[in-house]
Amino acid sequence: MPGPPWRPGDAWLGGGTSLFSEPQPHVRRLLDLSRMGWEPLRELPDGSLEIAATCTVAQLSRYARHSPAPAAPLFEQCCRAFLASFKVWNMATVGGNLCNGLPAGPMISLTAALDGVCLLRAQDGTRRRVPAAGFVTGAGRTVLEEGELLRSVTLPARALAARTAFRQASLYGLGRSASLVIGVLDPWDASLRVTVTAATVRPYRFRFPQPPSAAELRRAVGSAMGERDWFDDIHGLPAWRRHMALRQAEEVCRELTGGGSGRGAGSAGRGGTR
């Protein structure tokens, strides 16, 4: 591992947009990842895409605009879900958003929905891979161990070739995501995956071999999530978040399976597909 040895009070520094936004009394030293020289985005021989942890939101957005991948529009939709200024876009990193582990983190939503795999590196140089859908374990909690860093997230070619549908809801027109649901239609077996984030304390994914009915979808969600799994803060009560997530899940299913595009959640919703 390049750089000085890890010690208590150290913190990895990506873009710093969250780290510098509020007091961090427990942090004594910052280790700057921008000096690692990692390539922001790298297309691999098998058709997958490696996104470095230090890749900024702006870099990801620019890449998506020129990518022919059917799932590329989802990148831009998730980037826009930040609702941030161009200054934040040019500093905030994909890895930082994941490592914060906040329910409203749109890079968590993106990588979880597209079967991303996180590459983690420990202080002794050992590496391990964790599905992006399991990287965040709760509100502000991840699987990262002391001194461990997120090196990259790889999105497989199969997921990049999928059709996607996106829904986002907020209490305010320019507010933080209170519910963000992504549907992904597999290009090989036509199975449908629905990923629920922002409304929940961590990402939840559901796979359906055949398009589910509204009742089947609600049963799947209801059996997987209890009352404490729905996030509760000033941006939305759990009951409302649950209502919006279920509504959006039904919409993305209809959109991807030919049941009509459906409308977003009124003035508080944003949608789109390709």
Side-chain angles (χ1 to χ4, degrees):
M1 173 74 66
W6 184 269
R7 66 192 186 198
D10 283 355
W12 296 113
L13 173 64
T17 55
S18 176
L19 193 61
F20 295 147
S21 67
E22 58 185 3
Q24 306 286 345
H26 63 286
V27 175
R28 293 290 180 267
R29 183 175 64 162
L30 298 175
L31 304 180
D32 189 1
L33 292 175
S34 67
R35 306 171 72 176
M36 295 291 192
W38 298 333
E39 187 176 353
L41 297 128
R42 194 161 62 100
E43 296 177 353
L44 304 180
D46 64 357
S48 59
L49 176 67
E50 182 187 73
I51 306 173
T54 50
C55 174
T56 66
V57 177
Q59 289 169 327
L60 184 63
S61 175
R62 285 194 294 269
Y63 172 85
R65 293 172 197 167
H66 302 288
S67 172
L74 182 63
F75 289 33
E76 182 71 8
Q77 289 167 328
C78 289
C79 287
R80 294 290 172 185
F82 272 104
L83 301 174
S85 69
F86 75 93
K87 294 180 180 179
V88 173
W89 263 43
N90 281 280
M91 292 302 297
T93 62
V94 173
N97 193 244
L98 269 82
C99 292
N100 283 338
L102 300 179
M107 296 297 98
I108 299 171
S109 308
L110 172 68
T111 56
L114 293 182
D115 296 330
V117 176
C118 300
L119 175 61
L120 312 183
R121 182 188 294 172
Q123 282 294 299
D124 62 4
T126 58
R127 301 184 179 195
R128 62 182 177 124
R129 298 181 186 275
V130 177
F135 180 77
V136 176
T137 59
R141 301 198 307 270
T142 71
V143 299
L144 287 171
E145 298 177 356
E146 181 69 18
E148 196 171 32
L149 65 81
L150 171 63
R151 167 62 180 86
S152 63
V153 184
T154 300
L155 306 180
R158 181 169 178 169
L160 295 173
R163 287 182 58 225
T164 64
F166 172 95
R167 291 293 186 277
Q168 178 192 24
S170 172
L171 282 175
Y172 313 100
L174 295 176
R176 177 179 293 183
S177 298
S179 177
L180 198 160
V181 178
I182 296 171
V184 176
L185 188 65
D186 192 283
W188 291 5
D189 61 13
S191 63
L192 181 67
R193 296 190 303 279
V194 177
T195 303
V196 179
T197 56
T200 51
V201 296
R202 64 173 178 83
Y204 280 87
R205 303 185 71 211
F206 304 90
R207 183 183 182 277
F208 303 95
Q210 302 293 330
S213 65
E216 291 171 335
L217 184 61
R218 287 177 177 270
R219 278 198 300 272
V221 173
S223 63
M225 287 184 269
E227 292 183 5
R228 293 186 178 182
D229 296 316
W230 299 98
F231 194 49
D232 184 8
D233 70 356
I234 61 172
H235 298 284
L237 295 174
W240 179 77
R241 291 176 186 265
R242 181 179 186 277
H243 170 77
M244 292 306 302
L246 287 170
R247 172 179 170 178
Q248 293 169 328
E250 292 177 15
E251 288 180 357
V252 299
C253 287
R254 287 198 302 269
E255 183 170 337
L256 291 172
T257 58
S261 62
R263 295 187 62 184
S267 61
R270 288 170 282 276
T273 185
R274 176 174 175 177

